[in-house]
Amino acid sequence: MAWIVLVFSGVLEAVWATALGRSEGFTRLGPSVVFGVALVVSMGGLAYAMRDLPVGTAYAVWVGIGASLTVIYAMITGAEPVSVLKVIFLLMIVGGVVGLKAVN
């Protein structure tokens, strides 16, 4: 159960990171509210997962999922350019996250 919560929390990290960018310094209400809610739920899920998982592993997986999804979303929406090197490095992050799960 901890892994499921951790993955969901990692997805929410991407949500709050994207919402933070769209909030334009908290001047836009909708994205600011999404940021706040997603942040609280994401951190709560991370804290819950850390009850059963090692802190370093849980945090690395959470950040890896969130960072990867944030960049992928930005590339899909055209906010960030796509390059072969970026894709390779994202695959390395995903591979590291999978590896951490495999050895735990």
Side-chain angles (χ1 to χ4, degrees):
M1 181 68 168
W3 280 104
I4 293 168
V5 172
L6 183 62
V7 169
F8 179 71
S9 297
V11 171
L12 286 177
E13 185 196 1
V15 171
W16 68 252
T18 301
L20 179 60
R22 292 186 176 204
S23 74
E24 297 178 10
F26 300 114
T27 60
R28 297 182 57 214
L29 180 61
S32 297
V33 170
V34 170
F35 164 77
V37 171
L39 177 68
V40 168
V41 176
S42 178
M43 290 287 183
L46 175 62
Y48 175 84
M50 284 182 174
R51 294 184 338 184
D52 295 329
L53 302 173
V55 172
T57 299
Y59 184 69
V61 168
W62 181 76
V63 169
I65 291 169
S68 297
L69 290 177
T70 302
V71 173
I72 290 167
Y73 179 78
M75 289 190 304
I76 289 171
T77 60
E80 189 165 323
V82 179
S83 73
V84 172
L85 284 177
K86 280 185 184 180
V87 172
I88 289 169
F89 292 132
L90 283 170
L91 289 172
M92 290 170 63
I93 292 171
V94 172
V97 167
V98 171
L100 286 170
K101 166 61 175 126
V103 297
N104 201 16

